[in-house]
């Protein structure tokens, strides 16, 4: 997945990158959606796979591309995928939510036609029916969660925060000394806001949900459910490994997951305390959201 990073419960991921292109090319995808075993929390669970993969495949696309995605539903129940944040101009029936798009019946297929006209940024996709989205970061099966909700109860507290579909603190990203990387960060969870930070590194925010921003630097970022950000980080620290940390916000019990930012010339494993972040403070989050909103620039229309 390169440096497309997705946080929270990463069921499925869509990344769109802006580049200028004279023509409007077509990119074709053939996806087979099945149930299969996944182990995001170390125990076997029933997950939803695309072409055998969990999280689902990344879509790399440039501005103005036409994406033709043939989705075969091999689940024993109806299925839909929605493309969060992608503008469906004059084709809302491609949005993939119940009400605008008919569910794909079991054993059938539907071909999405998405036009990335004038669009830049980082987006993600997820299944929009029947609580399929929850098929990952609880140890319960998503059918059990569905039943809990249907009986009028609240969702249980999640078991973990996943980073790129893994909850074991064992994901590692290798960077080269001196280089700058773009991280695409999405909170694809169901209910919890997350804080994201990297030990010893600052993040320069360059994109929020398909819009360029005035570039402001942050030590940590709050990412609410459904949000996607791009940040730049430069590997300009001493050559060693650093913690990448994400933790839940506004929860009395704080769930934390870590990954490793590994310098290719690293001389030392991660060390020191895991950097802390805001937990229940709301003012901090509001002022950050305000600074991001006021610094958004509409560089495309
Ligand atoms: C999808 O995968 C299932 C399970 O491997 C297989 O039985 C089915 O034929 C596949 N369908 C398509 C359209 O590839
Ligand atoms: C279903 O998939 C077949 C190829 O596997 C394709 O020819 C057909 O157009 C697709 N149908 C729909 C409704 O997308
Ligand atoms: C991952 O690390 C965090 C922070 O130390 C810890 O709270 C959490 O329990 C760890 N998760 C696992 C699965 O070990
Ligand atoms: C972003 O907005 C805040 C106000 O909320 C302002 O203080 C800050 O200077 C702005 N940053 C840039 C780079 O313009």
């Amino acid at each position: 997945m390169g440096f497309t990073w997705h946080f929270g419960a990463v069921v499925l991921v869509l990344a769109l990158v802006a580049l200028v292109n004279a023509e409007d090319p077509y990119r074709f995808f053939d996806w087979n959606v099945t149930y299969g075993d996944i182990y995001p929390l170390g125990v076997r669970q029933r997950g939803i796979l695309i072409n055998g993969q969990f999280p689902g495949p990344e879509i790399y696309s440039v501005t103005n591309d036409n994406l033709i995605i043939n989705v075969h539903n091999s689940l024993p129940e109806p299925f839909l995928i929605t493309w969060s944040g992608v503008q469906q101009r004059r084709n809302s029936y491609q949005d993939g939510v119940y009400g605008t798009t008919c569910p794909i019946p079991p054993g059938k297929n539907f071909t999405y036609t998405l036009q990335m006209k004038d669009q830049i940024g980082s987006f993600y996709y997820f299944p929009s029916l029947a609580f399929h989205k929850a098929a990952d970061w609880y140890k319960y099966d998503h059918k059990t969660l569905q039943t809990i909700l249907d009986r009028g109860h609240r969702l249980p507290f999640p078991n973990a925060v996943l980073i790129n579909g893994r909850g074991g603190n064992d994901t590692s990203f290798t960077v080269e000394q001196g280089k700058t990387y773009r991280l695409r960060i999405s909170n694809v969870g169901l209910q919890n806001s997350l804080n994201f930070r990297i030990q010893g590194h600052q993040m320069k925010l360059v994109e929020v949900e398909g819009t360029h921003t005035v570039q402001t630097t942050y030590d940590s970022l709050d990412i609410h459910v459904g949000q996607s950000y791009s940040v730049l980080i430069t590997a300009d620290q001493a050559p060693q490994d650093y913690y990448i940390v994400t933790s839940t916000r506004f929860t009395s019990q704080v769930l934390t997951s870590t990954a490793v930012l590994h310098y290719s010339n690293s001389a030392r494993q991660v060390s020191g305390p895991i950097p802390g972040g805001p937990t229940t403070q709301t003012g901090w989050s509001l002022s950050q959201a305000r600074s991001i909103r006021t610094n958004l620039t509409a560089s495309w229309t």
Side-chain angles (χ1 to χ4, degrees):
M1 280 229 178
F3 273 88
T4 303
W5 293 13
H6 304 270
F7 297 90
V10 185
V11 188
L12 307 159
V13 164
L14 166 68
L16 305 171
V17 180
L19 290 177
V20 182
N21 210 317
E23 305 193 10
D24 291 357
Y26 283 76
R27 291 176 198 258
F28 295 91
F29 302 86
D30 203 53
W31 285 359
N32 188 8
V33 178
T34 59
Y35 277 128
D37 290 343
I38 56 170
Y39 300 81
L41 306 173
V43 295
R44 184 160 64 90
Q45 276 167 255
R46 179 169 62 156
I48 293 175
L49 313 181
I50 295 179
N51 296 346
Q53 283 176 245
F54 169 83
E58 177 183 359
I59 293 179
Y60 173 81
S61 145
V62 300
T63 299
N64 296 345
D65 274 356
N66 295 290
L67 305 180
I68 312 296
I69 307 164
N70 189 353
V71 177
H72 301 266
N73 177 14
S74 300
L75 304 182
E77 61 206 73
F79 182 79
L80 273 182
I81 289 180
T82 187
W83 318 92
S84 187
V86 174
Q87 295 177 25
Q88 310 289 357
R89 299 183 193 148
R90 299 190 190 171
N91 60 346
S92 57
Y93 51 90
Q94 300 287 349
D95 195 35
V97 290
Y98 190 69
T100 54
T101 313
C102 292
I104 309 172
K108 302 288 186 199
N109 63 304
F110 175 74
T111 304
Y112 289 92
T113 306
L114 310 181
Q115 202 193 8
M116 297 300 118
K117 191 76 187 156
D118 298 332
Q119 299 185 63
I120 61 107
S122 311
F123 306 100
Y124 66 91
Y125 59 82
F126 63 91
S128 62
L129 294 180
F131 230 48
H132 288 150
K133 194 185 183 206
D136 59 357
W137 64 117
Y138 285 85
K139 288 179 182 168
Y140 308 100
D141 190 87
H142 64 283
K143 293 288 172 200
T144 310
L145 294 168
Q146 202 182 329
T147 308
I148 292 172
L149 283 187
D150 285 346
R151 292 195 178 140
H153 301 294
R154 290 174 64 101
L155 277 178
F157 193 64
N159 294 106
V161 179
L162 307 185
I163 297 180
N164 277 3
R166 296 169 72 102
N169 295 332
D170 53 0
T171 309
S172 173
F173 301 93
T174 300
V175 293
E176 281 177 40
Q177 183 85 46
K179 288 197 175 168
T180 296
Y181 295 86
R182 174 183 189 165
L183 315 189
R184 300 170 185 275
I185 310 166
S186 297
N187 181 345
V188 305
L190 274 185
Q191 57 178 351
N192 292 115
S193 295
L194 298 171
N195 183 266
F196 178 80
R197 50 204 184 268
I198 304 174
Q199 186 181 30
H201 292 75
Q202 291 203 313
M203 298 174 283
K204 185 186 278 183
L205 185 69
V206 294
E207 178 240 323
V208 176
E209 287 146 35
T211 304
H212 291 301
T213 62
V214 173
Q215 301 185 353
T216 310
T217 297
Y218 297 90
D219 291 322
S220 83
L221 274 170
D222 272 359
I223 302 156
H224 305 288
V225 173
Q227 289 190 324
S228 295
Y229 292 162
S230 288
V231 300
L232 301 183
I233 60 153
T234 300
D236 57 3
Q237 299 298 305
Q240 60 175 74
D241 292 354
Y242 296 88
Y243 284 114
I244 295 170
V245 190
T246 183
S247 53
T248 53
R249 288 284 269 129
F250 320 122
T251 53
S252 47
Q253 181 195 344
V254 178
L255 287 177
T256 301
S257 278
T258 61
V260 172
L261 184 74
H262 170 71
Y263 278 49
S264 59
N265 57 347
S266 171
R268 201 162 64 142
Q269 296 196 327
V270 279
S271 59
I274 294 169
T279 53
T280 55
Q281 303 86 332
T282 47
W284 189 92
S285 193
L286 284 173
S287 63
Q288 180 172 88
R290 218 171 280 128
S291 88
I292 291 172
R293 294 293 151 200
T294 54
N295 289 334
L296 283 180
T297 56
S299 62
W300 57 275
T301 52

